[in-house]
Amino acid sequence: MTPEGISAGGNVSTVRHFVLLGFSDLPELQGFLSGVFTIIYLVVLIGNSLIITVTILDCALQRPMYFFLANFSSLEICYVSVTLPRILFDLWAQKRNISVQGCATPLCFFLLMGTTECFLLAVMSYDRYVAICHPLRYPLLMNPKKCAQLAAGSWLGAVPVQIGQTCQIFSLNFCKSNQIAHFFCDISSILKLACGDTSAQEVSLCVVTMVFAAVPFVMILASYSKIASTVLRLPTAQGRAKAFSTCSSHLLVVVLFFGSVGITYFRPKSSHSAGTDKLLSLFYTVVTPMFNPFIYSLRNKDVTEALRKLFLQTQCRGSS
């Protein structure tokens, strides 16, 4: 008997749609999880929207550092919107079926957003490197045109590759099962359902990951090694503290993102399990984007002051 969603054709059965198992193994927690994820989504939307708003409206934040921060906050909204609405739909409607095309499209956007995040974090570290190590050349090296080019490159640089990789994955035949043991269409979960040899796709995935994740991470490490070397040579402790404070928020976000992604995708296969994979994926797809507005607002005096002025202006308008 062929499983639901799988049609037989000759000697091979092909999947017509997938079933996202998500959190179906926790039936007693569906309502609680729905409430938690709704709150997280609202926090991500409101928190990042506030950062975008103050970087546009506040003249003190019209600098490259905050231009990239606004791009990063926009990215976080897009990144979370690829996965969280589907999670909430599954929890609310209890309809977990998803078409093959409906699985491929969000996967492609998920890969694009993940790659863009790697690139943007590398660009933000380069911005801090130029500001601290070459302050006199900073206005020239990070002029508005160069910032726009770096941002556009981060958003668009991986589009052809990730579209090609998605097409390569979904050109496979899926005949083992149609049940994805995840809350979104993750590459590793999908490849497990493919029949036949998937070594070419796995090699391609490894190469793309090395280029689009490992290379930006190495660039970030190189930037911060130069920054640390420069800051430690500053004559005063106050100067060193001020220089490090401009990097601390970004560095914390880098550790959270690359740390969770690295643990998820580069740990030994023997330690993989559906529950652990879902938990780790939740951290870098949902939890980290929720933390980012707090990290940048609480650890950055300029953003904190801009938010305070925005709230005061809103209160004055409301009371007038």
mmCIF file of all heavy atoms in Angstrom, residues 55 104-105 272 294 298:
data_model
loop_
_atom_site.group_PDB
_atom_site.id
_atom_site.type_symbol
_atom_site.label_atom_id
_atom_site.label_comp_id
_atom_site.label_asym_id
_atom_site.label_seq_id
_atom_site.Cartn_x
_atom_site.Cartn_y
_atom_site.Cartn_z
ATOM 1 N N THR A 55 16.922 54.236 12.281
ATOM 2 C CA THR A 55 18.099 54.460 11.429
ATOM 3 C C THR A 55 17.752 55.343 10.231
ATOM 4 O O THR A 55 18.630 56.019 9.689
ATOM 5 C CB THR A 55 18.673 53.123 10.922
ATOM 6 O OG1 THR A 55 17.651 52.383 10.237
ATOM 7 C CG2 THR A 55 19.230 52.290 12.058
ATOM 8 N N ALA A 104 9.668 23.703 -2.276
ATOM 9 C CA ALA A 104 10.863 24.199 -2.953
ATOM 10 C C ALA A 104 11.003 25.713 -2.838
ATOM 11 O O ALA A 104 12.113 26.227 -2.624
ATOM 12 C CB ALA A 104 10.834 23.783 -4.424
ATOM 13 N N THR A 105 9.881 26.436 -2.956
ATOM 14 C CA THR A 105 9.949 27.904 -2.947
ATOM 15 C C THR A 105 10.456 28.466 -1.625
ATOM 16 O O THR A 105 11.411 29.250 -1.610
ATOM 17 C CB THR A 105 8.572 28.500 -3.298
ATOM 18 O OG1 THR A 105 8.166 28.020 -4.583
ATOM 19 C CG2 THR A 105 8.627 30.017 -3.316
ATOM 20 N N HIS A 272 23.104 13.098 15.019
ATOM 21 C CA HIS A 272 21.894 13.708 14.467
ATOM 22 C C HIS A 272 20.659 12.939 14.925
ATOM 23 O O HIS A 272 20.639 11.716 14.966
ATOM 24 C CB HIS A 272 21.945 13.713 12.933
ATOM 25 C CG HIS A 272 22.784 14.813 12.376
ATOM 26 N ND1 HIS A 272 22.267 15.840 11.613
ATOM 27 C CD2 HIS A 272 24.112 15.064 12.471
ATOM 28 C CE1 HIS A 272 23.249 16.654 11.260
ATOM 29 N NE2 HIS A 272 24.370 16.203 11.763
ATOM 30 N N PHE A 294 17.212 43.267 20.607
ATOM 31 C CA PHE A 294 17.598 43.560 21.987
ATOM 32 C C PHE A 294 19.113 43.750 22.092
ATOM 33 O O PHE A 294 19.589 44.635 22.801
ATOM 34 C CB PHE A 294 17.146 42.432 22.916
ATOM 35 C CG PHE A 294 15.653 42.258 22.974
ATOM 36 C CD1 PHE A 294 15.038 41.229 22.291
ATOM 37 C CD2 PHE A 294 14.866 43.138 23.706
ATOM 38 C CE1 PHE A 294 13.663 41.062 22.342
ATOM 39 C CE2 PHE A 294 13.488 42.990 23.765
ATOM 40 C CZ PHE A 294 12.881 41.946 23.073
ATOM 41 N N LEU A 298 20.138 47.350 23.335
ATOM 42 C CA LEU A 298 20.604 47.429 24.715
ATOM 43 C C LEU A 298 22.107 47.657 24.807
ATOM 44 O O LEU A 298 22.591 48.206 25.793
ATOM 45 C CB LEU A 298 20.220 46.150 25.471
ATOM 46 C CG LEU A 298 18.717 45.899 25.648
ATOM 47 C CD1 LEU A 298 18.487 44.564 26.345
ATOM 48 C CD2 LEU A 298 18.061 47.021 26.435
#
